[in-house]
Amino acid sequence: TMIEAMARQTPVIGLNCGTRKEMIKHGINGFLCEKEDLVQTILLSEQNANYQEMAIKAKQTAQPFYVDAVIAQQVN
């Protein structure tokens, strides 16, 4: 669902653990936070002046996972 959200130009918020750290670049295409900082991070995201730029970066992050890209990668 994280990739699907990003593909729809939606910056995401994720906990700073597991594979989320590989996909989400804090302040660039979404927000990473610790569990105890979730509310503060949500508030930060609502006030972010770079939302449009983040939305574009989120979509770019998801593009390698589009079906056509994955198929081309498999064929190669």
Side-chain angles (χ1 to χ4, degrees):
T1 57
M2 181 173 56
I3 295 297
E4 292 167 345
M6 291 176 134
R8 304 288 279 161
Q9 292 190 335
T10 305
V12 297
I13 298 172
L15 296 180
N16 190 17
C17 64
T19 58
R20 292 177 192 97
K21 295 185 287 187
E22 296 173 19
M23 298 295 300
I24 303 171
K25 304 302 178 207
H26 186 78
I28 296 174
N29 63 1
F31 298 92
L32 287 170
C33 68
E34 301 301 324
K35 183 178 174 181
E36 59 273 6
D37 298 327
L38 181 58
V39 172
Q40 181 180 355
T41 303
I42 291 169
L43 294 174
L44 171 68
S45 72
E46 290 177 342
Q47 300 167 3
N48 191 288
N50 296 324
Y51 183 85
Q52 286 302 102
E53 186 177 328
M54 289 179 71
I56 291 167
K57 295 288 186 187
K59 184 175 182 177
Q60 291 171 348
T61 300
Q63 287 175 339
F65 300 95
Y66 289 0
V67 171
D68 293 342
V70 172
I71 290 172
Q73 200 173 30
Q74 294 297 318
V75 169
N76 286 335

